Amino acid sequence: MKEPKNIPFVPAKAGTQCKTTSRRAKWLLGSRFRGNERVGTALLKSALTAFLVVLAAAAHADDPFYRGKTISLIIGSNTSGGYDTYGRLLARHMGKHIAGHPVIVVQNMPGAGGLRSANHLYNVAAKDGTVIGIFDQAVFLDQLLGAATLRGDAARFNWIGRMMGNSAVLFAWQTAKVKSIADAFTQELIVAAPGSSSRLNWTALNALAGTKLKLLTGYEGPASAKIAMERGEVEAMSLPWAVLQAENPEWLRDKKVNLLLQTGLEKNRTLPDLPRMVDLPKSDDDRKVLEIFALSSVVGRSFVAPPGVPKERVEELRAAFMATVKDADFLADITKLNFDLEPMAGAELQAFVAKDYPPALIERAKEIARKNGN
């Protein structure tokens, strides 16, 4: 069948059919089917459907998921310390880097050393990307060591990103007999341990290095632990170094506290002479086991979304997080607070949490945790 020639285009009047155009359309769509008009009509319908799908997708792109929505940021501590400060910084700046510019509202949820918030995020919170959170860095380590902990699997959280690793410092009040960590091998030191991370660190240090740290764990967070230390209920506690500098510079200036050690696997660049926790064991085997307990310092101040959030939304949150930590206004706030910033992308953090470790080391670390009531 040959294409009809010399068929002029004549605009149809309203309410009428343009016969010439109809003839050409039928030939174009139906010629290969030998005049089968039903097939040609089906093709027209198919083309129209595809066009409508494209239009719907374009409309969806112009109406982002987060427009008009609120994101809840759950912080697993009270309104003090590094978790709260970093969480509020993210809430202040991240919304403008998400399509639709959602408002981010902070909700503090202290309790059970950070587990209350972690369990809420895992099992209760909405799984559509409207809830994210930050909780104690040792939650994944608790699970690694087989402790009674998260009702779920830490590796199944969608890890959004890390603001900083936690090079925390253990420090003692000026009235304590322990003035340096060497004194803690012969003198008992009463230490507030409100979070899972500090509890595990000091438990392991006692077992592997022989320190005499007596742990008190009944405090909701750093704020109540600070008050207890000033009152003389406890003699020592730990905080991220940057948080201690920012929140209590007078303690350092007036020598009200003595720095004892730092918990990170790597030394803080401003504390080159302060011993690391992993430097204290006498044998290499004990040091390697203690490094397992120090792994949580890599997680530090990290943010997650619940398991089950759609992949594309997780990627959107991860991209917004990385844009935030490069944002000029955010960096200005970090500078004002004199806080550290050591970002880690969500995908890299996800891989770290899912990593396997030598079974022999893990078993020995588990045994230490079990013997000490964890």
Side-chain angles (χ1 to χ4, degrees), residues 68-202:
K69 290 185 172 63
T70 296
I71 295 176
S72 296
L73 198 166
I74 295 174
I75 299 175
S77 73
N78 55 20
T79 55
S80 177
Y83 293 102
D84 183 73
T85 303
Y86 280 103
R88 290 178 185 275
L89 275 173
L90 189 72
R92 192 179 308 154
H93 295 282
M94 185 167 149
K96 67 182 177 181
H97 296 289
I98 301 175
H101 306 302
V103 174
I104 301 180
V105 177
V106 167
Q107 178 185 353
N108 290 88
M109 191 179 289
L115 286 175
R116 180 186 172 208
S117 60
N119 280 318
H120 177 87
L121 283 160
Y122 196 98
N123 298 293
V124 179
K127 294 175 171 53
D128 60 355
T130 59
V131 183
I132 60 176
I134 180 173
F135 46 73
D136 194 285
Q137 64 190 39
V139 165
F140 102 97
L141 182 59
D142 281 340
Q143 179 177 298
L144 193 65
L145 298 178
T149 176
L150 179 70
R151 296 195 300 273
D153 181 358
R156 290 191 61 215
F157 277 114
N158 288 292
W159 293 82
I160 301 303
R162 184 193 78 180
M163 280 200 184
M164 65 166 286
N166 180 28
S167 182
V169 293
L170 175 66
F171 54 93
W173 196 244
Q174 59 186 345
T175 55
K177 292 181 180 179
V178 172
K179 306 298 182 184
S180 71
I181 194 60
D183 297 331
F185 287 90
T186 57
Q187 300 281 344
E188 183 179 80
L189 181 68
I190 303 173
V191 183
S196 297
S197 180
S198 57
R199 186 182 72 248
L200 281 170
N201 280 339
W202 313 143

Side-chain angles (χ1 to χ4, degrees), residues 280-346:
L280 301 182
K282 294 180 180 179
S283 76
D284 189 56
D285 286 345
D286 287 345
R287 179 185 59 78
K288 288 179 179 178
V289 176
L290 193 54
E291 285 178 355
I292 295 292
F293 289 92
L295 287 173
S296 59
S297 67
V298 177
V299 174
R301 301 302 179 253
S302 295
F303 295 83
V304 304
V309 174
K311 182 179 179 180
E312 65 274 11
R313 206 146 298 146
V314 172
E315 294 305 318
E316 186 175 5
L317 290 169
R318 286 176 173 176
F321 178 88
M322 293 308 293
T324 300
V325 297
K326 299 174 184 176
D327 179 88
D329 293 334
F330 172 84
L331 293 173
D333 279 350
I334 287 285
T335 301
K336 287 177 186 176
L337 290 169
N338 194 29
F339 268 25
D340 287 338
L341 185 64
E342 299 170 341
M344 181 184 286

Side-chain angles (χ1 to χ4, degrees), residues 2 10 27 49 55 65 85 105 128 151 177 194 220 273 276 279:
K2 295 183 179 180
V10 180
W27 181 87
T49 300
L55 285 180
F65 170 79
T85 303
V105 177
D128 60 355
R151 296 195 300 273
K177 292 181 180 179
E220 281 192 344
D273 300 322
R276 296 179 303 165
D279 294 328

